[in-house]
DNA sequence: AAATACATGTTGCAAATGCAACAATCTTAT
DNA sequence: ATAAGATTGTTGCATTTGCAACATGTATTT
């Protein structure tokens, strides 16, 4: 059999969009981590992301929040424990579809924390923004969506 | 202060390219994991990726391989231990820039394994390929590269 | 009405990951 | 020539992550 997987005809992982996305995600994460190391000791980058997500999706139950932040229920609960201990969020029992759920909301202290951080990161945020135009970002967003739709045609994704 | 971070003017994490990439990467990974659960018990998806990378980059030292597969040296060594135990790769001492390094190469058994897997996954691979055209993928690749370059202007990335 | 299935959140555990420290070896500086 | 620094790979440890099991409460089925 002369398939010759090593030659250039075969698409290797390194050449896939998946690899490029992983690589770029690593860059984004490193940027975030380095900025937080320098400029924020109050919360972790992960907690910041969750707090930001809660701030614009108030009154979500934990499972719905988990879907948004791309983590499972267990880890979502743990991050919320930490944010709650720091007083940035509150949890309260409520119902959704006649089911008991724990909903999450941001506190005033959490809002203040977010505003402080946003001000602190503003220079970097603006520097990044200047490097991109809206059109490019929209195209990128659409491309990524197209990939996800393609994957959904092959397997069922439960996130 | 009426910054009002909750309104739509502020860019939340959920709306960033970083989030879209993370989400899409998760889809890709889930696809890979599900395919391997169904169709491959010999090696893990991670090991497949490393084996594939070695197959088209023969004679790399471990550190250079680590950079390619986006892992640190420690984890790269561990994955290689597993692949070596299964007989799919060999490691041998060599020098690079007058330094002692351990280089990695794929064995015939490893090549056979890759070819078997590629044949096994061929239907899915072709199905995915049909859903994209070369032009879209090139644009996506360029967009992601542009993001990485922008990040490099702000922080130094050492992967 | 009882049994089964489903949804939500928590806990425990194992695997994966990252980081710092270390050993070995080579280069550069004083 | 000796000391300091750099590169590579390994080991140990702490953190993160995901998965399965469980408890609780609801919906559905028989």
């Amino acid at each position: 059999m002369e398939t010759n997987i090593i030659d250039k005809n075969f698409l290797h992982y390194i050449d896939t969009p998946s690899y490029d996305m992983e690589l770029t995600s690593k860059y984004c994460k490193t940027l975030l981590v380095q900025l937080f190391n320098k400029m924020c000791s109050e919360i972790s980058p992960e907690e910041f992301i969750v707090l930001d997500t809660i701030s614009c999706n108030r009154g979500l139950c934990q499972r719905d929040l988990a879907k948004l932040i791309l983590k499972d229920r267990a880890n979502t609960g743990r991050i919320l424990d930490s944010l709650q201990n720091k007083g940035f969020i509150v949890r309260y029992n409520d119902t959704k579809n006649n089911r008991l759920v724990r909903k999450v909301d941001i506190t005033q202290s959490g809002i203040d924390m977010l505003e402080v951080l946003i001000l602190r990161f503003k220079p970097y945020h603006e520097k990044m923004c200047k490097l991109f135009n809206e059109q490019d970002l929209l195209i990128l967003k659409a491309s990524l969506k197209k990939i996800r739709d393609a994957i959904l045609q092959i397997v069922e994704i439960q996130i």
Side-chain angles (χ1 to χ4, degrees), chain A residues 12 23 42 68 71 108 112 118 126 141 147 151-152:
Chain A
H12 293 281
L23 180 57
E42 296 92 339
L68 274 185
K71 307 222 176 286
Q108 186 58 45
D112 294 344
I118 288 167
E126 285 174 349
K141 198 180 181 69
I147 290 179
I151 292 174
L152 286 179

Side-chain angles (χ1 to χ4, degrees), chain A residues 5 24 30 40 42 44 64 75 83 94 104 108 112 145:
Chain A
I5 51 172
T24 314
T30 303
C40 176
E42 296 92 339
S44 70
D64 289 339
N75 283 307
L83 283 174
D94 202 343
V104 186
Q108 186 58 45
D112 294 344
K145 179 74 162 59

Side-chain angles (χ1 to χ4, degrees), chain A residues 118-132:
Chain A
I118 288 167
L119 279 179
R120 227 183 273 174
F121 290 130
K122 202 171 183 184
Y124 298 94
H125 185 251
E126 285 174 349
K127 195 170 175 185
M128 282 293 290
C129 283
K130 267 187 218 138
L131 295 169
F132 299 99

Side-chain angles (χ1 to χ4, degrees), chain A residues 11 27 34 46 62 66 99 102 106 108-109 135 143 147:
Chain A
L11 182 69
Y27 274 60
Q34 287 193 17
E46 204 61 61
Q62 291 196 190
R99 282 178 190 286
R102 293 187 83 183
I106 190 170
Q108 186 58 45
S109 165
Q135 192 62 27
S143 299
I147 290 179

Side-chain angles (χ1 to χ4, degrees), chain A residues 141-158:
Chain A
K141 198 180 181 69
S143 299
L144 295 175
K145 179 74 162 59
K146 192 173 174 185
I147 290 179
R148 294 197 297 274
D149 289 341
I151 292 174
L152 286 179
Q153 292 190 19
I154 295 179
V155 292
E156 188 174 350
I157 306 271
Q158 193 65 266

Side-chain angles (χ1 to χ4, degrees), chain A residues 132-145:
Chain A
F132 299 99
N133 63 63
E134 286 294 322
Q135 192 62 27
D136 285 349
L137 293 182
L138 284 178
I139 292 174
L140 173 59
K141 198 180 181 69
S143 299
L144 295 175
K145 179 74 162 59

